[in-house]
Amino acid sequence: MKEKDEILALLIPLVEDLVSGKLELIKETGRSGPYTVEELKEQLDDYGGTLTASPEIDYKNLDLYEIDDEPEWVMEYELWVDGEKSDLTLTCTVRLTDQEKSIAIDSIHVL
């Protein structure tokens, strides 16, 4: 599925930036959704542990929900903490059109 590859091309750098703590960059590039840098930091800190990189194969497990009549998907992905898959879930809206390919965080929450 072409869309899934495009979505992964947006998701993987976002997760890498979260793991690296590049919250300012996420905000500057419009990927933080409604959140400030402080709010993103708080959501991650509240969970505890340290975000760690996801094994590449794990990205095959993301849940995608296509939004009717829109070139948009809602995506849920379980983040890895301290080297293990966690129930800390990153929910994003992804928009794919010829003009725009974007991802924005909707929430980071425990599922």
Side-chain angles (χ1 to χ4, degrees), residues 17-61:
D17 288 346
L18 283 169
V19 169
S20 304
K22 296 180 181 169
L23 303 181
E24 291 282 347
L25 178 65
I26 291 170
K27 180 76 181 156
E28 286 165 16
T29 51
R31 296 176 293 166
S32 62
Y35 299 105
T36 64
V37 170
E38 292 73 29
E39 288 168 332
L40 285 176
K41 185 170 177 8
E42 202 173 280
Q43 289 184 18
L44 296 170
D45 289 350
D46 283 353
Y47 187 81
T50 304
L51 270 189
T52 48
S54 310
E56 198 169 312
I57 192 154
D58 190 62
Y59 286 108
K60 290 181 172 58
N61 299 325

Side-chain angles (χ1 to χ4, degrees), residues 72-89:
E72 286 186 356
W73 287 259
V74 172
M75 178 224 69
E76 292 186 335
Y77 181 71
E78 293 171 349
L79 295 168
W80 284 60
V81 176
D82 297 331
E84 294 183 356
K85 192 177 194 85
S86 73
D87 56 0
L88 184 63
T89 304

Side-chain angles (χ1 to χ4, degrees), residues 88-111:
L88 184 63
T89 304
L90 174 66
T91 304
C92 297
T93 298
V94 178
R95 187 165 176 81
L96 299 175
T97 65
D98 291 339
Q99 294 77 34
E100 178 188 13
K101 297 194 183 345
S102 65
I103 188 167
I105 295 172
D106 294 328
S107 68
I108 299 173
H109 59 277
V110 174
L111 236 182

